Amino acid sequence: MFSRILIANRGEIAVRVIRAAREMGIETVAVFSTADRDSLHVRLADRAICIGPPAPADSYLNIPRIISAAEVANVDAIHPGYGFLAENAHFAEVCRSCNIEFIGPSVESMSILGDKVQCKQLAIKHKVPVAPGSKGKIEDEADAVKIARDIGYPVMVKAAAGGGGRGMRVAHNDISLRSGIKQAMAEAQGAFGDGTVYLEKFLENARHVEVQILGDQHGNVVHLFERDCTMQRRHQKLIEEAPCPVLGNDKREDVCKAAVRLAKAAKYFSAGTVEFLMDAKQKFYLMEVNTRLQVEHPVTELITGIDIVKTQIRIAAGEKLPFSQKHIKRHGHAIETRINAEDPDNGFTPSPGQMTEFEMPGGPGVRVDTHCYSGYRVPPNYDSMIAKLIVHQPTRDEAIATIRRALGEFDIGPNKTTIPLHIRLMLNGSFRKSDVDIHFVERLFGQR
Ligand code: MV4
C-alpha cells in the first residue's frame, strides 16, 4: 500500500480523499492555489504545498507544478479527484513516467473511452445499446445529410472529444444540419483541439441514468448499480439519487451488465461511470463513459455500503477487488442535493464571499460532504458548489422527508445558495412521483 499520496484537487473532493487516506493510514499532501489558503483541505492534510495563483491554468491544471510538488513531498501516488486533470490521459502518463501512481484507470482506457467515437464503436462491438447514427466520424456534410435522412430527423451532432454537453447541436432538417456541423466542428476544434464530430438520432424526453463500475488491475469488473441524474440544469446536475426510482429489476440488470461489458472491453480498472439516456419505454442508449470518481459517488456508497474512494486507492496499489458481484447488495434509497453558492432567483448568479453563517444539518441518515466552515470565504475563481447533502433511508419517500428536513436545518449566509430551490423541488409533485425528464428543471424555470 502507498505510504503517502498527493491530492491534485481542491474543495469537498480533496477533503473526501484526505479522509479516506487518513483512515487507511496513508499520509496526505494537499496542493492549493493562493485563493484556497483557508480551505479545509489545506488544514486536514498532513502537508500542504502552494502551487500558484487562483487561475486554474497556473495551479490545479498546471502539470509541471503538481508534479514538482509530488516530487518535493516524495509521494507514491496522486489522486486527481474530479474535474481539473482527472480525465487528462497526458497527466496520467506523466505521473506514471515519473514513477508516481495515478489513482485512476490506464492511459489506454482513458484515451479510448474519452474519444466518444471510439467508445461508441467499442460499445457496438460488445452489444452495448447505442443511439442509431453515423458508424464513425462524419467525413463531410453530404455524408451527414445521407445518414440523417436515413435515421430520420431530429438528429444530434456531437464532438468526439466533447462531454458534458459541449460541442453539441440539434438539427431538424438538412439546412440546420449543415450549419450545425460547421458550428460543432469549429467549437470542438477550438475547445478540444479536435474537430471530429459524429451524428446520432436525437432522443426526446429522456432520463439520465448512469452505472457505477469498479475494476481492478487483474481483470475483475463489477457494477455498484445505477444512479438517476435526470434533475439537472444546463448540464449541471442538481439532484442525484440511487436507485433510479422508475426502473424495474430486469431492466436494471440489463443496463448494469452492459456497463460491465463495456468496462471489460476497455480493460478498465479503477472507478468509472457509464452514462446512458433512458427513453420513456425504458430503452437505454450509451452517452459516454466518465473515467473518474464522480461528484455523486456518495449516493452509491450509501446504498451499497462500499467506500468507492478507498477501493480506488486499493486498486491503484494493485490489490484485487475485495468483493465479487454476488456480494454487492443494495439497501434503501439515497438522494444527494448539490448546494451551490448561487442565487436561484437571479439566474443562478454566483454568490461568493465570506460566509459569516455556516451551520450544517445532522441526525439519522444525513451526510454532508463540504470543505466549508463558519467564516470561510468562498473564492470567486472556481465552481460554486459549497456542499453536498446526502441522505439514506429505507424508502424514497422517507429519503425525501429526511432531505427536506435537513435542508431546513442549514443556516448559511449572507451568501445566496440553492437550498431554497432544493426545498421547492422536494415539494414538487412531479419530482415526488419522479415524473421528470432531463429538461424538467429548465422547463420549470421557463427557459425552454
Ligand atoms: C443526447 C441527447 C439526446 N439525444 N444524445 C448531453 C450531454 C452529453 N453527455 C450528451 N447529452 C445529450 N445527448 C442524443 N442522441 C440529449 C443530451 C442532453 C442531456 C443529456 C443528459 C442530461 C442532460 C442533457 C441536457 C441536454 C441534452
Side-chain angles (χ1 to χ4, degrees):
M1 184 40 68
F2 307 127
S3 305
R4 188 180 299 133
I5 67 171
L6 180 143
I7 298 91
N9 215 300
R10 63 177 301 281
E12 69 84 20
I13 199 62
V15 170
R16 170 75 186 86
V17 176
I18 289 167
R19 286 177 170 154
R22 170 75 35 81
E23 290 179 18
M24 296 171 79
I26 300 169
E27 285 182 35
T28 54
V29 178
V31 293
F32 63 99
S33 76
T34 53
D36 280 336
R37 245 175 228 302
D38 301 320
S39 184
L40 203 57
H41 83 282
V42 173
R43 295 197 201 169
L44 287 183
D46 293 297
R47 180 172 179 185
I49 299 174
C50 183
I51 51 167
D58 300 324
S59 47
Y60 300 108
L61 282 175
N62 191 297
I63 296 175
R65 287 179 181 201
I66 290 167
I67 295 292
S68 298
E71 298 281 9
V72 165
N74 193 25
V75 300
D76 305 311
I78 296 181
H79 195 300
Y82 52 66
F84 296 119
L85 296 168
E87 294 185 273
N88 186 317
H90 171 66
F91 178 59
E93 195 166 20
V94 172
C95 289
R96 291 191 176 126
S97 72
C98 294
N99 228 348
I100 299 165
E101 204 45 63
F102 175 79
I103 302 174
S106 70
V107 172
E108 294 73 26
S109 294
M110 289 173 83
S111 303
I112 291 172
L113 299 174
D115 180 322
K116 297 205 286 176
V117 168
Q118 286 189 60
C119 178
K120 192 170 173 180
Q121 285 173 338
L122 191 66
I124 293 167
K125 191 173 157 195
H126 293 270
K127 297 192 159 48
V128 174
V130 300
S134 54
K135 294 264 184 302
K137 66 179 224 170
I138 289 170
E139 299 297 344
D140 52 50
E141 286 175 31
D143 176 37
V145 167
K146 231 173 106 233
I147 295 161
R149 287 182 181 172
D150 193 38
I151 61 178
Y153 286 102
V155 298
M156 200 170 213
V157 184
K158 291 183 168 185
R166 291 173 308 167
M168 298 189 326
R169 288 288 182 290
V170 181
H172 289 86
N173 51 55
D174 293 356
I175 295 168
S176 67
L177 176 58
R178 286 176 186 275
S179 63
I181 288 170
K182 286 193 196 82
Q183 289 168 358
M185 286 177 82
E187 196 177 305
Q189 187 63 48
F192 319 114
D194 175 0
T196 307
V197 296
Y198 64 107
L199 202 67
E200 50 184 47
K201 177 96 186 155
F202 179 66
L203 305 162
E204 280 159 294
N205 310 110
R207 299 176 72 107
H208 175 131
V209 177
E210 58 183 34
V211 179
Q212 176 71 55
I213 52 167
L214 280 173
D216 65 21
Q217 298 192 54
H218 308 273
N220 305 299
V221 180
V222 297
H223 69 79
L224 269 50
F225 302 101
E226 82 288 357
R227 295 183 285 259
D228 188 312
C229 309
T230 303
M231 295 290 286
Q232 62 88 43
R233 177 188 169 272
R234 296 194 178 177
H235 305 293
Q236 293 294 316
K237 292 165 185 164
L238 292 172
I239 302 171
E240 303 101 338
E241 54 187 306
C244 169
V246 300
L247 192 59
N249 274 333
D250 289 359
K251 294 263 164 67
R252 170 170 294 117
E253 192 175 316
D254 288 349
V255 70
C256 291
K257 283 186 168 168
V260 169
R261 276 202 304 283
L262 184 56
K264 282 190 172 162
K267 297 188 168 35
Y268 197 86
F269 60 81
S270 192
T273 299
V274 185
E275 295 189 341
F276 295 90
L277 284 171
M278 183 180 87
D279 71 14
K281 292 176 182 156
Q282 302 206 348
K283 278 195 70 173
F284 284 90
Y285 307 90
L286 175 73
M287 274 197 294
E288 56 193 69
V289 179
N290 296 322
T291 60
R292 61 164 191 276
L293 180 68
Q294 288 199 265
V295 175
E296 58 270 27
H297 76 276
V299 292
T300 300
E301 295 189 320
L302 293 181
I303 66 156
T304 60
I306 291 172
D307 188 313
I308 294 173
V309 179
K310 286 182 185 170
T311 309
Q312 247 190 329
I313 294 171
R314 293 194 180 105
I315 290 164
E319 292 184 16
K320 286 190 174 168
L321 281 175
F323 37 71
S324 64
Q325 192 66 60
K326 67 172 185 292
H327 297 122
I328 303 169
K329 298 277 180 256
R330 56 185 181 87
H331 298 280
H333 199 93
I335 306 179
E336 171 175 287
T337 52
R338 296 190 189 189
I339 318 274
N340 292 354
E342 292 173 351
D343 186 354
D345 296 326
N346 206 341
F348 292 83
T349 47
S351 184
Q354 190 170 40
M355 295 190 286
T356 49
E357 298 316 315
F358 189 84
E359 300 278 347
M360 295 193 294
V366 174
R367 166 173 168 183
V368 182
D369 281 16
T370 184
H371 58 293
C372 301
Y373 51 83
S374 193
Y376 175 74
R377 195 184 57 81
V378 180
N381 315 84
Y382 308 105
D383 90 325
S384 55
M385 193 173 75
I386 52 170
K388 304 188 301 205
L389 168 63
I390 316 108
V391 303
H392 185 214
Q393 289 294 5
T395 67
R396 183 170 189 265
D397 285 348
E398 290 164 290
I400 290 174
T402 298
I403 206 160
R404 164 77 190 82
R405 182 273 292 171
L407 284 162
E409 285 183 24
F410 264 114
D411 189 0
I412 300 178
N415 315 56
K416 299 280 191 219
T417 75
T418 49
I419 291 169
L421 165 69
H422 284 305
I423 292 175
R424 270 172 55 202
L425 290 173
M426 292 305 152
L427 301 173
N428 180 285
S430 300
F431 174 74
R432 294 175 76 95
K433 284 184 287 184
S434 205
D435 181 15
V436 295
D437 68 18
I438 53 178
H439 306 298
F440 176 79
V441 179
E442 280 144 5
R443 236 182 263 120
L444 202 65
F445 278 84
Q447 286 164 352
R448 270 177 68 92

